[in-house]
Amino acid sequence: IGAGAQGLHIGQRVGLGWTAETCEHCASCLQGERIFCSDLVPTIVGHAGGFAAKVRASWQWVIPLPEQLDPITAGPLLCGGVTVFHPLMQHKIQAVHKVGVIGIGGLGHIAIKLLKAWGCEITAFSSNLAKKHDLLKMGAHNVLQSDDYQAMKSYYSQFDLILSTVNVGLQWNEYLKLLSPRGAFH
């Protein structure tokens, strides 16, 4: 631990996500948007990342972990969890909002769990309706087939945020019709 590190001590259990270092003096860093720093150093690219015996990181990116948190559970939260959590903060999502999640794989599962804890009304969009029971149990209030545009009509202008976790082409106009007047697609 360097002399300038704050809030950390030797022996403390910590985690590290995608980012290991930022400059801390550019406009993005000073405005609290460190993820947009042009000098950002990733934990993994060019380094051994989670497979390394040792990892060097700036103290700002090292996250203290509660002792009661299982480290196996913490790992996904530090990567995929942040990926789906950041849009909630960026778009100022609160418990009163309706949020759609497209793609219920790893990121989509984490998004639903976060949104449930957040108190939002959640609609899951999946290409596999065999997951419907599990998605409802996980916290989704509604489940729609991701290409059933006829069924989507009853949801027009309702979503404050639609969070897409898929890397496939979508019928963008059909999904944009689902957004409320100030809604966002992320």
Side-chain angles (χ1 to χ4, degrees):
I1 294 179
Q6 298 177 22
L8 301 169
H9 60 271
I10 293 174
Q12 182 177 19
R13 195 166 68 143
V14 298
L16 184 62
W18 175 259
T19 305
E21 187 176 337
T22 47
C23 77
E24 300 303 313
H25 62 267
C26 70
S28 294
C29 286
L30 294 175
Q31 293 170 8
E33 294 286 341
R34 290 177 177 93
I35 61 168
F36 300 120
C37 177
S38 60
D39 291 329
L40 183 143
V41 175
T43 304
I44 297 171
V45 178
H47 303 91
F51 297 104
K54 295 179 182 178
V55 177
R56 175 178 234 147
S58 294
W59 68 270
Q60 296 92 332
W61 291 99
V62 177
I63 303 159
L65 298 176
E67 287 301 319
Q68 65 274 20
L69 181 62
D70 177 8
I72 293 171
T73 303
L77 293 175
L78 297 169
C79 187
V82 173
T83 300
V84 295
F85 179 76
H86 186 263
L88 304 184
M89 300 302 293
Q90 181 180 356
H91 299 290
K92 299 176 175 56
I93 296 303
Q94 299 175 14
V96 297
H97 291 124
K98 294 181 180 182
V99 181
V101 178
I102 304 171
I104 314 302
L107 291 175
H109 281 91
I110 295 173
I112 288 175
K113 289 182 176 191
L114 285 173
L115 289 163
K116 179 182 178 185
W118 216 257
C120 297
E121 183 178 321
I122 309 158
T123 298
F125 294 89
S126 179
S127 60
N128 181 359
L129 286 187
K131 296 180 182 179
K132 183 174 182 174
H133 175 73
D134 291 334
L135 295 172
L136 293 171
K137 206 166 114 179
M138 196 179 305
H141 298 90
N142 309 295
V143 179
L144 292 175
Q145 179 83 27
S146 57
D147 62 357
D148 187 351
Y149 306 113
Q150 188 64 34
M152 289 184 197
K153 287 183 179 181
S154 63
Y155 290 83
Y156 279 3
S157 301
Q158 288 192 20
F159 292 97
D160 301 293
L161 175 66
I162 297 176
L163 182 59
S164 177
T165 68
V166 297
N167 187 20
V168 297
L170 298 170
Q171 294 294 327
W172 299 107
N173 288 335
E174 295 302 318
Y175 280 97
L176 294 177
K177 291 175 190 175
L178 299 172
L179 294 173
S180 65
R182 296 191 185 277
F185 191 100
H186 191 102

